[in-house]
Amino acid sequence: MALLVFLNERSCESESTPAEVADAMGKFIDVLKQIKTWRELKLVTKSPLPQSQLASGYYYGQWCADNRNKTRHQYILALRNRQPSFAAALRDAAAPDQGEAEHRLDGRTVEGIGAARLAGGLAVSLPLDVAWKTSWLEVDVEQLSEDANGELVVENLTDSVRHAAEVEHLDVHEAWGRSNGLDTVGSPIEMWEKRADFFPNLEFLPRVQEDLEDLDPKWFRPARRLLAGLEASAAGWDPVASYFPDWQAPRITPEHEGAKRHRWWDDLDGVSRCFDMHGRMNRDAGRIYFRLVPELKTLRIAYIGPHL
């Protein structure tokens, strides 16, 4: 499951010059790239990009026609192409009981921000106005809901929406962004099938699929939690600066020398290697064995199950 990122169309209505838009688009790309280090993402826009406005009277098509923006355009286009349409993203991601809702900020309708709220995603803006330079946006919501008698009534409320216009706005959302949706994965098989979405910085030996199929049900949540911690550790790892990641999970340790002879598995290339690191997923009974792959900046998982 990719993280849905919705462009705030109101941030594209300023009176900014093409030069100011170019600078803002650079920061916008930086935000997307930072989110991409957490997990896969899908950029959702209200209208097709070539017809989208970036500032009053200045359109995306004009911006991407500048050869200096070619690489940035290709990056955005690749993200945009993964999502069929604005409406489809809402239909597929929003809870069915949300009903119709209007979202307003300072009295103006905000469809992208509203979609982010309904879909449980993140709103992103071009940093062309001080109003967008924040990690949270407070929106007024008017929606239909049922009262105690089952009658439809109009409900008015204020809600906070996750938001970013610059990289520093993402700090408070990182833990959420890395694990968003993972807690809805309800089985080891589903976790295996969605491993590329939730654990893009981890690799798994094919044999791990069978481990998960045979996993004791009481160990599923601890395994899910430990894998999330290993993913966060790998994502922030700089192998040049440090041999070990800054572990984002407790009690990650190397195997002691006497046990290493029992920690060998055939690696992805068929060569037998020692997977000499482990994390504890349920007190001292369960283990995840893995090894560091610094040349790929990843952790490779070989085994999930009882302590061997």
Side-chain angles (χ1 to χ4, degrees), residues 3-210:
L3 183 64
L4 293 176
V5 176
F6 292 85
L7 177 63
N8 167 25
E9 76 284 355
R10 292 299 184 193
S11 71
C12 303
E13 298 176 352
S14 71
E15 297 295 331
S16 301
T17 65
E20 291 170 331
V21 170
D23 181 65
M25 288 294 285
K27 294 178 180 178
F28 179 66
I29 294 289
D30 289 342
V31 167
L32 297 179
K33 288 183 175 179
Q34 181 64 22
I35 297 171
K36 190 74 162 46
T37 67
W38 303 348
R39 56 186 294 190
E40 289 299 316
L41 69 102
K42 293 180 180 178
L43 176 63
V44 188
T45 59
K46 180 183 177 181
S47 56
L49 281 175
Q51 288 80 46
S52 295
Q53 183 174 256
L54 298 181
S56 181
Y58 186 71
Y59 291 83
Y60 186 93
Q62 294 171 273
W63 173 81
C64 70
D66 188 329
N67 284 333
R68 291 172 295 183
N69 300 321
K70 181 178 180 180
T71 300
R72 289 174 174 174
H73 163 62
Q74 291 174 337
Y75 185 84
I76 293 177
L77 194 60
L79 295 177
R80 179 63 179 82
N81 284 344
R82 295 174 189 169
Q83 183 59 49
S85 71
F86 189 94
L90 263 185
R91 183 179 61 249
D92 294 342
D97 61 352
Q98 287 283 356
E100 297 183 6
E102 287 284 335
H103 297 81
R104 296 184 181 88
L105 183 64
D106 295 331
R108 303 181 69 196
T109 299
V110 283
E111 296 185 61
I113 298 170
R117 173 182 172 269
L118 291 174
L122 177 76
V124 290
S125 299
L126 299 188
L128 291 169
D129 189 290
V130 67
W132 312 125
K133 297 188 178 184
T134 177
S135 297
W136 296 91
L137 293 171
E138 298 292 322
V139 294
D140 297 316
V141 184
E142 183 180 287
Q143 63 186 24
L144 292 177
S145 62
E146 289 187 0
D147 62 15
N149 299 317
E151 298 291 332
L152 285 178
V153 296
V154 176
E155 179 184 17
N156 292 283
L157 57 98
T158 300
D159 203 0
S160 298
V161 180
R162 295 181 183 274
H163 173 264
E166 298 180 350
V167 170
E168 53 264 34
H169 300 151
L170 293 171
D171 292 346
V172 299
H173 305 308
E174 182 171 357
W176 163 85
R178 290 187 184 279
S179 61
N180 178 257
L182 181 57
D183 58 355
T184 67
V185 174
S187 72
I189 303 306
E190 184 183 3
M191 188 164 67
W192 173 260
E193 292 172 348
K194 296 180 177 178
R195 64 193 184 282
D197 288 330
F198 290 111
F199 313 118
N201 294 286
L202 303 182
E203 293 182 331
F204 297 81
L205 299 189
R207 65 164 314 284
V208 174
Q209 180 177 4
E210 186 174 342

